[in-house]
Amino acid sequence: MKVDGNAIAGPLAEVFGRDVTLAVATCAGCHESGVIARTMVYATAMGAVARCAHCELVLMVLGGRPGARMLFSMPGVSSLELMPDEPTPDEESVGTAQRAGGGLSGSHSS
Amino acid sequence: MSFITRGFSGRNRERDPNLPPGQTLVEDWPVLSAGPTPDIDPADWEFVVVTENGRRSWNWDDFHALGVEDVTVDIHCVTHWSKLGMAWRGVPLDKVFDEVETGHDYVMAHSYGGYTTNVPLDELLDGQAWIAFEADGEPLSPEHGGPARLLVPHLYFWKSAKWIHGLVTMPRDDPGFWEQNGYHLHGDPWQEERYW
Amino acid sequence: MTRRPAGWHAATVRAVTVETPSARRIEFEVPSWPGNDAGSHVDVRLTAPDGYQATRSYSIASSGETPRVVLAVDEVPGGEVSPFLVHELQPGDQVELHGPLGSYFVWGPDGEQRPVQLIAGGSGVVPLYAMAEVRDALQEVRRDATPFRLLYSVRTPEDRFFAPELSRFAGRGLDIRYVYTRQAPDGWAEPVGRITRETLAAAVWPVEQRPSVYVCGPTAFVEAVADWLVALGHEPRDIRTERFGGG
């Protein structure tokens, strides 16, 4: 099943302790970068493989025994950039998160 | 601690003595992929074997000339589905290794697109494995691994690498793609060797 | 957006109502819920008596600082989780939810002057509905709420999610355009069939308005629409996408 990085937000939140769909990953192959939400994800019952939307390199893999031990690797991510986590403010923050991506979004074609 | 969901039992997973443990018979043929489906023209296709003694390759026609046979086998996916009595057509790996010498005991299968999986060499011989072009009487569709895939039915089906490009012999049982990501190095369904 | 921690929560079913012939609206009470932005999703996990677990993601139709989480689940024939949620789940039952998840495919009022374009394929309407609902609530308070358009592709009128609510929103400034792919209401003037580049071009905010676009639905739908939007001149960075499986 071909989806995108939004689909693995849950398992990645287990790894990182927070939602990382807006984290910016740099591809170790083509050096383009973009938010995790825009990676191309091939998800099956075996696990999930997140690929660079620009060059198709395998960025991240989620495998392991379901419900028992998760196995996470980032063989194709040379760096990951996240904004610091914040306490939940009392009022709604003003300003939409604007980390929409560049190269990792590729041309949108499959 | 997770609690049981009232009324949920998952798929019917009754133990069927004809199937390895934890498997369920299916009528369709599920497609699982770790990446985009490669587009390979048989005219451009090659099958390569690399050993410590060198490199040997065949084009589509030369490879078929090694000798094609029909077999009927059961296949078992680690994601719990099985198909019994599937008709396949391909070149047995015995014919390939008649043409190649190696002292290595293990093989890494490499696919177009970059997928890899490891298998002991002796488990590819003696009628246990083929390079297959047809399934159920039809040429293998791209989504199922066409034009050719490795077929090793006595192991979980992730070992039957789709879009096979070639085999590289190796002295150690190095892990392929899924074997690096939590899946069993060997993968015998009857021993339920699914995960590390 | 408000940063909210993602966690596992025990959720109690308060109501299950018929949304369409194949879908149910499920309202959960989740006392530990930190609230969620419009567009976020949740992973629902079910556990069988033998310990077997199945998890699926569903977009949240509700939003805000509330312990109420509303999903709209369409049954996938032969699926493992959705038939259970649609046919078996009853008020009083408990499931596990992981969330809120997703900080990319979310919308909240932000003082931007740019209009918003929502494009939904089938059950992809759920997160977009959540956004439209926020906008509608704002409209009651401020007359200058962000202009929204919704392009909603659906098989038949009976398959529309949130039809009554969307109707009310339409009366308050939400510009809704439906594309029926199998069967349209009597007297429908538009062609019946899959959305085309031309239909899309005619329905969406013009490029000059620089809309903020959200596209959600099956992967093939999302990719076709996103490609057409780029071909029409919209900037890729202005188009946010969320793909469901299933082509």
Side-chain angles (χ1 to χ4, degrees), chain B residues 109-176:
Chain B
H110 289 257
S111 299
Y112 287 99
Y115 180 80
T116 55
T117 188
N118 57 295
V119 185
L121 176 55
D122 62 1
E123 298 198 39
L124 294 178
L125 305 175
D126 300 324
Q128 298 182 89
W130 298 261
I131 301 298
F133 318 105
E134 285 183 23
D136 287 334
E138 297 288 329
L140 211 50
S141 66
E143 64 172 2
H144 281 300
R149 76 183 293 166
L150 178 62
L151 175 65
V152 193
H154 75 279
L155 299 177
Y156 280 120
F157 212 49
W158 90 73
K159 297 276 186 184
S160 292
K162 294 193 278 194
W163 314 302
I164 191 70
H165 189 179
L167 306 175
V168 178
T169 63
M170 43 188 195
R172 287 185 322 267
D173 199 11
D174 290 337

Side-chain angles (χ1 to χ4, degrees), chain C residues 93-145:
Chain C
D93 285 345
Q94 283 202 317
V95 300
E96 291 178 297
L97 301 185
H98 188 205
L101 300 171
S103 39
Y104 161 81
F105 200 78
V106 294
W107 180 83
D110 54 10
E112 280 231 25
Q113 298 309 309
R114 302 163 61 186
V116 168
Q117 178 70 53
L118 310 175
I119 304 174
S123 53
V125 74
V126 178
L128 307 181
Y129 169 80
M131 298 175 187
E133 188 185 65
V134 170
R135 185 256 172 210
D136 185 77
L138 211 68
Q139 165 67 27
E140 294 200 43
V141 173
R142 290 166 35 186
R143 300 301 304 279
D144 65 344

Side-chain angles (χ1 to χ4, degrees), chain A residues 1-4 6-11 13-14 17-22 35 37-38 40 66-67 83-89 91-101 105-110, chain C residues 1-6 8 34 41 43 45 53 57 65 98 100-112 114 212 214 219 222-223 226-227 230 236-246:
Chain A
M1 189 172 80
K2 184 184 165 207
V3 285
D4 56 41
N6 294 299
I8 53 172
E14 302 254 51
R18 52 177 284 196
D19 182 83
V20 292
T21 47
L22 279 181
V35 293
R38 292 171 85 121
M40 292 298 104
M83 300 308 287
D85 213 352
E86 304 157 6
T88 308
E91 298 97 45
E92 265 192 29
S93 19
V94 176
T96 317
Q98 284 292 352
R99 303 277 339 217
S105 64
S107 65
H108 293 280
S109 36
S110 54
Chain C
M1 294 301 111
T2 319
R3 201 160 315 273
R4 304 187 205 264
W8 281 98
H41 69 272
D43 285 354
R45 184 167 69 192
Q53 294 186 317
S57 298
E65 313 277 344
H98 188 205
L101 300 171
S103 39
Y104 161 81
F105 200 78
V106 294
W107 180 83
D110 54 10
E112 280 231 25
R114 302 163 61 186
S212 223
Y214 293 83
T219 295
V222 168
E223 295 193 337
D227 283 348
V230 171
R237 81 165 66 83
D238 292 337
I239 306 165
R240 297 198 181 206
T241 51
E242 184 161 87
R243 294 160 179 75
F244 294 179

Side-chain angles (χ1 to χ4, degrees), chain A residues 37-78:
Chain A
R38 292 171 85 121
T39 58
M40 292 298 104
V41 171
Y42 294 84
T44 67
M46 281 197 80
V49 178
R51 290 177 178 265
C52 176
H54 193 83
C55 76
E56 293 179 350
L57 186 75
V58 173
L59 297 173
M60 298 180 289
V61 184
L62 285 158
R65 183 193 295 265
R69 182 185 59 224
M70 178 190 302
L71 210 117
F72 173 69
S73 66
M74 288 204 299
V77 175
S78 57

Side-chain angles (χ1 to χ4, degrees), chain C residues 74 120-126 152-155 159 161 216-218 221 244:
Chain C
D74 206 14
S123 53
V125 74
V126 178
Y152 184 3
S153 173
V154 69
R155 283 187 306 252
D159 293 311
F161 283 45
C216 185
F221 173 89
F244 294 179

